[in-house]
Amino acid sequence: MLLFIMARIAEVPFRDLVRNVLPFLGAMIGSLALITFFPGLVLWLPRLLGYQG
């Protein structure tokens, strides 16, 4: 919904806006996949500081 609002405010075609947002969306999905399948990537700093859970 925000993409539609942004396209309207910026007076940019929706297609162009989506095309420019796709790399960021891909990066977010990639980060989510890494965090989901490799939780050790997220927990290394707390474990370094003594977290035992």
Side-chain angles (χ1 to χ4, degrees):
M1 185 165 158
L2 286 175
L3 285 177
F4 287 112
I5 295 170
M6 287 172 32
R8 182 72 177 224
I9 291 173
E11 298 177 358
V12 175
F14 183 73
R15 179 178 348 141
D16 294 340
L17 184 63
V18 170
R19 189 175 300 136
N20 289 328
V21 169
L22 281 178
F24 297 102
L25 184 61
M28 288 191 300
I29 290 172
S31 299
L32 180 61
L34 282 174
I35 290 169
T36 301
F37 295 117
F38 303 105
L41 292 174
V42 177
L43 295 173
W44 74 270
L45 183 59
R47 288 182 180 152
L48 183 67
L49 297 174
Y51 176 69
Q52 298 297 322

